[in-house]
Amino acid sequence: MFGIHDLTLFVISGLLLNIMPGPDSLLIMTRSATQGWRAGSAAALGIGAGTMIHIFAAALGLSALLSTSAAAFTVVKWIGAAYIVYVGIGMLRAKLRADADDAVAAETAARVAAQPLAYRKIFFQGFLTNVLNPKVALFFLAFVPQFISADSSSKPLAFIVLGCIFNFNGMLWCNGLAVFTAFASARLKVKPLVALWLNRVTGGLFLALGLRLALAEQHSS
């Protein structure tokens, strides 16, 4: 439907990406631990709203590109596949240390979340944490088109459908994380070794996806 393929792989990939620790997760966990699960859920909903901005912005950009050239979609997929392979290799080579940029972002999120806030302010905090993260925009532009067929009759609509599926699953995870953290009554931290293997598993999935696309294109040519 809508020219979407490999939906199961898309859902599994999205779940792994949501589970991986980052500034969004840290903000949810910190708010839940300090103000309860409702505060964590408010942050999660703000993050989800930010994700929707990325989804619609990317879909509109894709629509504008396709109005110029239908062949441009294939170019987008190839560039996206190259980016996914690059990210996958980087994840597979990850060591037991935090990435400098992620560490700074996580520290900022923790510091910002330190003082109690009204739920609407927490929502806005989560929204800004996500919508101002350029890595999220890159992810949607590179990742989502890989699951849309080149002959799809409505690629932007397929993009929005996949984005909404990703965001829905992400919200299930984020709200579950908020409730779990609140009931744990402590600031939970993912152990470095667990984070390392999450990186490697996701990296392997990204590498396989990029190579799978390349082989499929070669076979069809």
Side-chain angles (χ1 to χ4, degrees), residues 5 27 38 43 53 55-57 70 83-84 94 102 108-109 111 121 132 160 168-169 173 187 194-195:
H5 60 85
L27 178 63
R38 290 181 178 84
I53 296 295
I55 292 168
F56 281 104
Y83 176 75
I84 288 171
D102 288 342
T108 301
R111 185 171 63 250
K121 291 185 177 180
L132 297 179
I160 292 172
F168 176 77
N169 291 334
W173 163 256
R187 293 190 182 187
V194 175

Side-chain angles (χ1 to χ4, degrees), residues 15-160:
L15 180 60
L16 285 172
L17 286 164
N18 280 303
I19 290 175
M20 287 179 61
D24 288 351
S25 298
L26 182 62
L27 178 63
I28 293 169
M29 293 165 71
T30 304
R31 280 299 174 200
S32 293
T34 56
Q35 290 185 243
W37 69 268
R38 290 181 178 84
S41 290
L45 291 173
I47 289 164
T51 300
M52 290 306 300
I53 296 295
H54 285 296
I55 292 168
F56 281 104
L60 287 173
L62 181 64
S63 180
L65 183 65
L66 291 173
S67 67
T68 303
S69 170
F73 183 69
T74 302
V75 176
V76 169
K77 292 192 71 167
W78 273 100
I79 294 174
Y83 176 75
I84 288 171
V85 169
Y86 170 77
V87 172
I89 292 173
M91 288 179 169
L92 285 173
R93 297 178 62 188
K95 298 179 181 178
L96 279 173
R97 61 178 178 82
D99 179 82
D101 292 337
D102 288 342
V104 171
E107 183 180 350
T108 301
R111 185 171 63 250
V112 170
Q115 298 182 0
L117 288 176
Y119 291 154
R120 61 182 179 81
K121 291 185 177 180
I122 295 174
F123 174 91
F124 190 62
Q125 191 179 77
F127 176 80
L128 288 179
T129 298
N130 183 274
V131 81
L132 297 179
N133 186 350
K135 291 184 178 180
V136 180
L138 280 175
F139 159 74
F140 280 110
L141 286 172
F143 189 69
V144 177
Q146 310 308 323
F147 297 89
I148 303 174
S149 301
D151 58 354
S152 171
S153 59
S154 182
K155 297 180 180 67
L157 179 59
F159 194 107
I160 292 172

Side-chain angles (χ1 to χ4, degrees), residues 153-192:
S153 59
S154 182
K155 297 180 180 67
L157 179 59
F159 194 107
I160 292 172
V161 170
L162 285 172
C164 289
I165 291 173
F166 175 87
N167 202 19
F168 176 77
N169 291 334
M171 285 299 93
L172 290 179
W173 163 256
C174 288
N175 281 279
L177 182 64
V179 173
F180 178 75
T181 304
F183 280 99
S185 300
R187 293 190 182 187
L188 303 179
K189 292 183 179 179
V190 177
K191 293 182 179 180

